[in-house]
Structures are given as structure tokens and as C-alpha cells.
Amino acid sequence: MNWYKRLNRAWRSYLVKKKNNSEYYLPAIQSFANNYKKRLKFIEYHLKREDYIFGTWKAILIPKKDGEERPLIIPNSINDKIVLKAISDYLSDILASKFKSVQSISFAYQKEKSTRDALIRLKEIHNQDNILLKLDIKHFFDEIDKGILMRLVEKLSMNGYVKKLIKSGITPNVDYSKLEKIDIDKFPKGGIPQGNPISSVLSNLYLYELDKLAISKRWKMVRYADDMVFSVSNIEEAQLILAQVEKYLLDYRKLVIHPLKNTSDAKTAIFLNPKDNSLKYLGVIFDGQNLYPTKECYYQLIGKIKAILKSTLTSEEKEMAIKKAIAQWCGYYAFTDISNSQIKWMNNVINYQIGKCKLDIPKVNIAHVVIKTRKRQNNRLLRLFYPIQMGEEYEWLNIYS
């Protein structure tokens, strides 16, 4: 195994990721960057000697959109982060053929796949006369059984020392000293660390047999991590699939799904008429025919731009930050069936906020960004979406004819 090559690739990937936020300027990252070749050689030396030891990791709480906090356990050192990323890439290569066999179902934590692909696939497989079944696993990462997981890892044809590192990577020594007792209790006693790059790959391995079961039974299914959606012909089929998935997860993976409910915010639910009771999935609403961003998604962009306008940035920096925010938003949502009225509403709200500041910042044209993004994504979307009639001024949206 060429450790240095994988470490170098992992470091470059880590650096690119950090360049997108303020962490890029932390002294530890700058110090590593200034001597990265020597640092990587040092890590490689210990990996080749098979005596590399992960350091103590830190426990932190990250705010969630619903006001709660997500407990995460992450490495303190850059060395550990790079080693984990290198192992994750190696593990992904080993599992590539397995995951390829279920590529029409599984979309999370895989190269060149995203939530957008999962949503496009859902729109593709769903018949408008069908109903939708949504399933969600309770505390997925926190409830993964390490014994079952390591037995799956042991069956893989891969470097034996890497298997030992994987075991260490999912059972780290954790420092809770900076947390209060009440916060420490929020951390799970079992499972595998969420946010860890090897945990992401291993989670797909853990559910790989479920994906195979779905293919063997010809279920119309899309899975993104622990969130699953099925397109089924009737409520009897939905209940049958629900029972079979529930039994498989409990018997073979010691996992439990959220109970079936009829409320709009239910994690496990049956949607008899998606047109009237739309499914919310991966930040997008699906009514059985069209995909739309949720209201929260629109207001998140507006809120972000308001924050930019109130910041201490110069007018030029604010202009660039606004363009970047809109480009990022459109990069995710341009593929959806955003209506003409919705685009105009967003333009009006954002341009009103810009006008209030009385700064030399040009008005935005979200429609223009949407068309640029759609053209870039056109090869993937061509077979899925029909021309959208939005008037002569938005004629460019009809790029799928």
C-alpha cells in the first residue's frame, strides 16, 4: 500500500475543504502546510512500521437547525484527520465494486454522488399513481453495533493493519474534560463517531445487505444514509415493506426505525396522496411530480444575505459574498422545479434589502444564476425535466427541449 500517495491526497483534500472557511488560517494548519512533506513522511514512517497511534479526540456539541445540539467526537490533531481520510479513501476503493452493485439505491458518502442525485433518482422512479413510504432509522450512527461492523470489515480483502486502524478509529479515546456533566450525558455510549470519514464509509457497508435485499425484491427505493423513501403501488405494499425492513434491521443490524406516524413532520410515514401531503426529503419537498426547495431553504439564503449586508465587509467584499451565497444556493436547488413567481419573489426580497443599505452593490438576478447552473448540470438533468414555461423574459429556462 502506497501510504505516502494516499496521505498526500488526503492532505490536499483536507486543505481544499478548509480553504472554504476561516479554519484555513488557524496556526496549526499553517504550520502543517509550511512543512507538509516532512510531516507526511513522519506519518508514513509510523504507518509503515505499523505503530501509528491515534491521539485523544475531543467531544463537542454542534447546534442543529431545530435548536438541539448534535454530539460529535473528532480528532484533535491534523495527523489523525489525514490518516482517517487516507483510510477512508482506501476503504472506498476496496468497497467500490460492492457499492457499484447498489448504486441505483445508495447515494450518501460516495464519490461523485450527492443529495441532488438521490432526489433526481426519486423523481425518476416514482409513478404519479403510486404512494410514498418514508423510513428513518433511530440514532443510526449511535446505534451501529461495533461487533457486527468489525465482522463485516474482517471479511474484506484488505491490509490487516488497516483493519486494526479502523477498529481504533471507531473506538477512540475521548476527552470530555471541557464539558459539563449534563452535556457529557448527551453523548452516546455505543455506536461509531459521527463526522468521522471512515464512519461514513462504514455506515454504507453496514446497510449494504439491506440495499441488496431491496434490489432482489425490486423495491423502488432511494437511500441516503439512514433516510429511505420507497415508491409503492398501494398501502398494503407499503406496510409489507415497512415490516420487512423493520425486521431485517432489528434481526441483523440491531437497529430500530422511528415509529409510523401520520403527522407532517414524522420521520416514518406513508404518503397516500403526495400532491396534497407532500414529502419533505433532504431539504426538498416532493409532491409526487415536482421537487421544490422548502420555505426554510429560501429564508436561509435571505437570512445569509441580510447578515452579509450587516457585516463590516467593504461594499466590494459584500458584493462578492452575496454572489457566492447565491451561487452556492443555486448549485443545490437549480435542478428543482422552482417557479417563476418564486424566483421573482426572491429577487425582490433580496434587492429590497440591498437597496435599504444604500451601498454601491448591484441588484441580483437569481434567474440568471439558475440558468447558468442548469446549463452546467444539463447532461444529468436532460432526461428528467420538461421545459418550464416562464414567459419570454425567462425563455432560457426551456433548455431541456
Side-chain angles (χ1 to χ4, degrees):
M1 177 170 172
N2 189 333
W3 274 114
Y4 186 82
K5 183 178 179 179
R6 290 191 178 276
L7 290 169
N8 188 57
R9 190 182 302 156
W11 160 245
R12 293 183 183 281
S13 173
Y14 174 81
L15 197 61
V16 168
K17 186 177 180 180
K18 293 305 176 187
K19 278 184 177 180
N20 293 327
N21 56 54
S22 57
E23 287 185 56
Y24 176 67
Y25 300 100
L26 291 176
I29 295 178
Q30 295 301 308
S31 174
F32 197 105
N34 293 335
N35 301 281
Y36 80 92
K37 290 183 179 180
K38 289 183 179 179
R39 297 284 290 270
L40 294 181
K41 281 291 184 183
F42 174 80
I43 300 171
E44 179 198 26
Y45 172 76
H46 286 286
L47 288 169
K48 283 186 172 181
R49 280 171 48 116
E50 299 189 354
D51 62 1
Y52 185 89
I53 299 175
F54 288 115
T56 301
W57 295 10
K58 60 184 175 182
I60 60 173
L61 293 168
I62 303 295
K64 295 168 63 176
K65 293 178 182 178
D66 58 8
E68 295 185 4
E69 293 178 308
R70 185 188 305 280
L72 292 180
I73 296 172
I74 59 176
N76 275 307
S77 76
I78 296 177
N79 289 16
D80 285 357
K81 293 175 182 178
I82 292 172
V83 171
L84 287 168
K85 183 64 172 72
I87 294 172
S88 170
D89 289 344
Y90 174 67
L91 188 57
S92 293
D93 291 343
I94 294 294
L95 292 168
S97 60
K98 280 181 176 290
F99 291 164
K100 187 175 181 179
S101 67
V102 293
Q103 64 181 352
S104 63
I105 284 178
S106 176
F107 292 88
Y109 314 127
Q110 297 187 60
K111 294 176 181 177
E112 299 181 356
K113 280 193 173 186
S114 66
T115 52
R116 181 176 66 240
D117 299 293
L119 291 163
I120 289 173
R121 178 61 177 165
L122 176 59
K123 181 168 183 175
E124 184 181 42
I125 65 173
H126 183 64
N127 184 317
Q128 292 180 38
D129 296 327
N130 282 3
I131 65 177
L132 293 165
L133 166 66
K134 179 184 177 184
L135 302 183
D136 191 294
I137 300 172
K138 268 188 176 181
H139 311 300
F140 177 44
F141 282 89
D142 300 342
E143 297 296 333
I144 287 178
D145 186 283
K146 290 189 181 75
I148 295 174
L149 179 59
M150 285 311 300
R151 285 194 288 275
L152 294 172
V153 171
E154 288 297 333
K155 291 179 182 178
L156 300 176
S157 178
M158 61 188 294
N159 184 291
Y161 177 58
V162 175
K163 291 180 182 179
K164 292 182 180 179
L165 288 173
I166 289 172
K167 188 174 183 179
S168 297
I170 60 174
T171 54
N173 294 317
V174 185
D175 177 15
Y176 294 99
S177 62
K178 294 183 179 180
L179 296 175
E180 300 292 334
K181 174 68 168 60
I182 191 173
D183 289 331
I184 295 174
D185 292 339
K186 296 176 182 178
F187 286 80
K189 301 298 183 278
I192 60 177
Q194 192 168 351
N196 181 330
I198 61 171
S199 294
S200 302
V201 181
L202 292 171
S203 71
N204 277 333
L205 175 63
Y206 203 70
L207 295 182
Y208 167 68
E209 293 296 337
L210 176 62
D211 296 338
K212 282 181 61 180
L213 177 67
I215 287 177
S216 69
K217 291 184 174 292
R218 297 184 179 181
W219 291 339
K220 291 183 177 181
M221 166 184 166
V222 170
R223 181 177 71 79
Y224 196 91
D226 56 333
D227 293 333
M228 293 165 270
V229 176
F230 301 79
S231 175
V232 296
S233 57
N234 52 55
I235 192 168
E236 290 77 19
E237 184 184 0
Q239 291 170 335
L240 178 62
I241 291 175
L242 174 60
Q244 290 180 323
V245 172
E246 190 171 24
K247 178 174 173 52
Y248 170 84
L249 290 173
L250 186 59
D251 292 351
Y252 296 98
R253 293 296 181 261
K254 297 184 180 180
L255 295 172
V256 177
I257 63 172
H258 285 274
L260 181 66
K261 293 183 179 179
N262 294 322
T263 58
S264 59
D265 59 345
K267 292 181 179 293
T268 297
I270 296 174
F271 298 81
L272 297 175
N273 189 349
K275 194 71 177 176
D276 295 332
N277 182 23
S278 299
L279 164 75
K280 185 184 290 187
Y281 186 54
L282 304 178
V284 166
I285 292 171
F286 182 51
D287 66 2
Q289 181 177 1
N290 298 307
L291 296 162
Y292 303 101
T294 63
K295 288 182 179 179
E296 294 84 356
C297 296
Y298 292 117
Y299 285 109
Q300 281 171 10
L301 175 61
I302 293 168
K304 190 171 185 178
I305 290 175
K306 283 183 178 179
I308 292 170
L309 292 170
K310 290 179 181 179
S311 70
T312 58
L313 298 173
T314 65
S315 293
E316 185 177 348
E317 289 171 336
K318 288 179 180 180
E319 180 183 344
M320 294 303 297
I322 290 171
K323 285 182 178 179
K324 182 178 179 181
I326 291 174
Q328 289 175 338
W329 192 91
C330 290
Y332 188 95
Y333 296 109
F335 77 94
T336 63
D337 305 281
I338 310 174
S339 68
N340 178 24
S341 60
Q342 199 67 57
I343 291 178
K344 286 184 175 181
W345 174 79
M346 290 179 69
N347 268 337
N348 291 338
V349 172
I350 292 172
N351 286 327
Y352 173 73
Q353 295 298 325
I354 291 173
K356 279 173 55 177
C357 292
K358 297 181 180 180
L359 297 173
D360 187 23
I361 300 176
K363 291 183 177 181
V364 303
N365 185 344
I366 295 176
H368 179 66
V369 184
V370 168
I371 181 56
K372 286 176 64 178
T373 307
R374 283 182 169 177
K375 283 182 175 178
R376 192 169 63 247
Q377 299 172 349
N378 192 36
N379 289 338
R380 178 175 288 168
L381 306 181
L382 180 61
R383 58 193 171 84
L384 298 177
F385 296 105
Y386 299 98
I388 304 173
Q389 302 298 331
M390 303 179 84
E392 188 175 353
E393 72 276 27
Y394 291 101
E395 186 179 3
W396 45 261
L397 283 174
N398 300 320
I399 60 175
Y400 305 112
S401 57

